[in-house]
Amino acid sequence: KILTMKHIFVAISFVLFSLLILMACNKTNENQTSDAIISWTGDYAVAQTTAVTVLAAGQLAYLFNCRILSGSSFSRRAFTGNRMVWYSAGILVIAQLIFIYAPFMHPLFDSAPIGGEGWGLALGFSVGIFVLIESFKFIQRRIVGSQAPSRTLV
């Protein structure tokens, strides 16, 4: 039951953050856009690409959180033991880099290359997601008790 609550919490967090990013990127008309992300990027396509990158980075962090369901992922065990996790992470990173920097993708998705600010936001969000989920798991262990063994999902 608690693991289900954790997944609901993460899903709601991703949805709310996605809505905030999309509202920040929302065009108000042809020549004007709303503030938030666009104000520091100066470009709607860059802001939109940053939003997608933030979500992809957050999901990558969550992938490593899910490696150990009830124990702490602040361990070597969360990052070792299954090469497929690293292959999946590598494919995600390569696909994201193609989405961001390949010129043929820009007209297809109304995307644009992002700079250091966009990557910083993505990194910050992914670290935040990782720490948030680990905090939730820590609280869960305190409530349920630490007698249950840690389970590794993948």
Side-chain angles (χ1 to χ4, degrees):
K1 183 177 179 179
I2 291 178
L3 288 177
T4 303
M5 293 298 291
K6 178 180 77 170
H7 291 113
I8 291 170
F9 173 75
V10 170
I12 290 171
S13 298
F14 272 111
V15 167
L16 289 177
F17 191 77
S18 301
L19 288 173
L20 288 173
I21 294 286
L22 290 174
M23 286 188 322
C25 297
N26 187 26
K27 289 186 178 181
T28 56
N29 66 36
E30 288 280 323
N31 299 322
Q32 283 186 320
T33 55
S34 61
D35 296 336
I37 294 175
I38 297 169
S39 66
W40 58 263
T41 63
D43 185 0
Y44 178 76
V46 171
Q48 188 169 275
T49 306
T50 300
V52 171
T53 303
V54 164
L55 292 174
Q59 289 185 358
L60 182 61
Y62 189 61
L63 169 73
F64 286 101
N65 271 124
C66 290
R67 292 272 296 126
I68 301 174
L69 293 177
S70 57
S72 175
S73 292
F74 287 118
S75 66
R76 184 170 188 247
R77 193 172 63 139
F79 299 97
T80 60
N82 188 343
R83 284 188 231 162
M84 291 309 293
V85 171
W86 285 104
Y87 294 147
S88 299
I91 290 169
L92 173 70
V93 169
I94 290 168
Q96 190 65 28
L97 289 171
I98 292 170
F99 169 73
I100 294 170
Y101 295 111
F104 70 90
M105 297 296 267
H106 300 162
L108 292 173
F109 295 101
D110 195 21
S111 63
I114 62 173
E117 299 94 357
W119 284 109
L121 185 62
L123 179 64
F125 178 71
S126 63
V127 168
I129 283 289
F130 191 86
V131 170
L132 183 69
I133 298 304
E134 286 306 308
S135 300
F136 189 84
K137 287 176 7 181
F138 177 78
I139 293 167
Q140 174 187 339
R141 286 191 304 271
R142 292 292 180 204
I143 291 172
V144 173
S146 60
Q147 66 271 18
S150 295
R151 297 183 317 180
T152 302
L153 182 60
V154 286

